[in-house]
Amino acid sequence: MTATAETARSLQSRMRRTLVSAQIFSGLGNGSTLALGSILAVDLSGSEAWAGSVNTSLTLGTAVTAIPLAQLALSRGRRFALASGLAAAIAGTALMVGAVITGLFVLLLGGAFLVGVASAVNLQARFAVTDLAEPAHRGRDLSLVVWAITIGAVAGPNMVGPGALVAGWLGIPAAAGPFLISAAGMVIGASIVWVFLRPDPLLTRRTMDGPDSGDGVRRRGALQAGWQIVRENRTTRGAVVAVVAAHAVMVGVMSMTPLHMQHQAGAAAGHPDTIALIGLTISLHIAGMYALSPLVGWLTDRMGPARMVLAGLATLMAAVAVTGLAPEYPAAVTTGLVLLGLGWSATTVAGSTLLVAALAPSQRIPAQGFSDAAMSLAAALGSAAAGPVMGMTGYSGISAAAAVLVAAAAVALLRLPEPGR
């Protein structure tokens, strides 16, 4: 083993622990926003037509900031980029609290947009752990960072009770409490990144690869370079199509599920049991997204990332089949949401691993930024369209549209040349 390889291996374990620890706390923000977003949007706007607006703002925040965060990583390193993104998300939680207190819908949307930056940070963190990872263990290391979001993300939707207690102590509306807890979690996550992500994994990799690695990318800019790299590499195109479709399907179906369950409850829509069922469903969905990620990562390394992507797409198809064919049964909806999370996990972990494996180190950062921006933009469009689609065709119509996207992504993967598969 060379000296540089020994250096990378000795640093990788500490980098992995740091990123896993930070992800646990930073995942709190999105969980609360996903659980309460559509309900707060209807309450503050006065119209169900705006039900998907908070999730749209959340995913737009992720999409718009993915490229700047990648550019920041290229120029200042992963540590500075990740900590800066979490600082913006903390400001977003403050706006969400302000929206609940004042009843201003525009503050709700602005807060959700900034909270979405935390998602961009979480997405970049999964790539950050691969900067120094050994090729045979990329899937495992990437999946561990994805898994770490489980604790915060699953706890987030269930912060209604503890958040109400905190809000009561402060004399503010109960719905503001979960966002205060989210802010505290992200402060801890940002502190862990800033203090312990040293030496910076990306800057270390660049030093190991040579002083000129990545200079051309930095001169062209992450967006232009990322688009060109993805466009010219057939395997990378397949990986990006898969993760984009999976993310759009997951967000589109998930964002309308709380409102659908509230409609199904009818007169009991405001009953605590209904809110608890919605919170449980979203929590189980998020658990499906993250809890089995280490197993997904191990299977990705063993089976190959392209085969695992196809398995993830098949699971997504099963999920939307369940939600589309039995939308009137809460147990079926919950089951479908769990499968939706599992399919997203397999497709995202394996697709991200495939993206890294297909590219040279100097090409990865812009391609990663482009991939994250594309998947978040697709999710924002899906969330925005979900409300009108649900109004016209119902919850089953959303599931049917999702099935078409999943099938298209599977076709794109199956057309890859055999070495890429």
Side-chain angles (χ1 to χ4, degrees):
M1 183 183 294
T2 65
T4 54
E6 290 177 355
T7 300
R9 175 172 285 184
S10 65
L11 291 175
Q12 177 64 6
S13 178
R14 182 155 57 88
M15 298 297 100
R16 187 171 58 241
R17 288 196 303 269
T18 297
L19 290 167
V20 165
S21 301
Q23 293 284 80
I24 289 173
F25 292 100
S26 65
L28 281 171
N30 283 2
S32 299
T33 306
L34 291 174
L36 299 176
S38 61
I39 295 172
L40 286 175
V42 173
D43 287 345
L44 298 189
S45 69
S47 171
E48 289 193 356
W50 292 94
S53 60
V54 169
N55 287 322
T56 300
S57 294
L58 186 79
T59 48
L60 274 175
T62 307
V64 170
T65 57
I67 293 294
L69 280 178
Q71 190 69 55
L72 201 57
L74 281 169
S75 60
R76 302 288 297 273
R78 297 285 195 187
R79 172 174 164 266
F80 190 86
L82 298 178
S84 298
L86 287 175
I90 292 165
T93 60
L95 289 182
M96 298 288 279
V97 171
V100 174
I101 294 173
T102 64
L104 291 177
F105 182 55
V106 66
L107 281 185
L108 186 70
L109 297 183
F113 181 90
L114 288 177
V115 170
V117 184
S119 289
V121 169
N122 292 338
L123 290 172
Q124 187 176 124
R126 81 192 193 282
F127 285 126
V129 79
T130 68
D131 289 337
L132 297 175
E134 297 178 81
H137 299 303
R138 283 194 187 114
R140 180 201 65 185
D141 289 356
L142 189 150
S143 67
L144 286 173
V145 171
V146 172
W147 170 85
I149 306 173
T150 306
I151 298 174
V154 173
N158 292 289
M159 288 295 104
V160 176
L165 291 176
V166 173
W169 296 335
L170 298 175
I172 59 177
F179 300 108
L180 292 175
I181 297 176
S182 298
M186 286 191 281
V187 167
I188 296 172
S191 300
I192 290 172
V193 167
W194 189 253
V195 173
F196 295 106
L197 200 65
R198 302 167 184 263
D200 188 280
L202 178 58
L203 300 183
T204 301
R205 169 55 65 188
R206 187 176 297 157
T207 299
M208 293 166 61
D209 291 340
D212 296 329
S213 62
D215 284 347
V217 168
R218 291 195 294 275
R219 285 194 296 268
R220 283 182 290 162
L223 177 60
Q224 179 186 354
W227 162 243
Q228 183 174 340
I229 291 166
V230 171
R231 183 186 62 187
E232 294 177 352
N233 187 306
R234 189 173 176 181
T235 300
T236 304
R237 286 203 311 271
V240 170
V241 167
V243 297
V244 165
H247 204 57
V249 166
M250 185 275 293
V251 172
V253 175
M254 178 274 303
S255 64
M256 289 297 102
T257 297
L259 191 61
H260 167 71
M261 297 183 74
Q262 193 177 57
H263 284 166
Q264 290 298 112
H271 194 276
D273 289 346
T274 301
I275 301 300
L277 178 60
I278 292 171
L280 175 63
T281 298
I282 297 300
S283 291
L284 290 174
H285 163 69
I286 296 175
M289 291 173 65
Y290 301 118
L292 296 182
S293 295
L295 175 61
V296 170
W298 180 79
L299 289 172
T300 297
D301 289 335
R302 291 294 297 263
M303 296 171 51
R307 290 187 179 90
M308 198 62 193
V309 170
L310 288 171
L313 293 174
T315 307
L316 287 173
M317 187 64 78
V320 297
V322 172
T323 58
L325 296 175
E328 68 274 20
Y329 299 106
V333 172
T334 301
T335 300
L337 265 286
V338 172
L339 289 174
L340 190 73
L342 289 171
W344 176 90
S345 177
T347 307
T348 302
V349 169
S352 301
T353 304
L354 182 62
L355 178 70
V356 172
L359 298 172
S362 62
Q363 297 177 306
R364 289 170 186 164
I365 306 302
Q368 291 163 4
F370 179 83
S371 174
D372 289 348
M375 62 190 286
S376 300
L377 180 59
L381 294 175
S383 181
V389 170
M390 183 166 167
M392 292 185 293
T393 65
Y395 193 61
S396 294
I398 294 175
S399 300
V404 173
L405 284 177
V406 173
V411 169
L413 261 292
L414 290 170
R415 294 182 62 185
L416 285 179
E418 188 62 31
R421 300 241 300 273

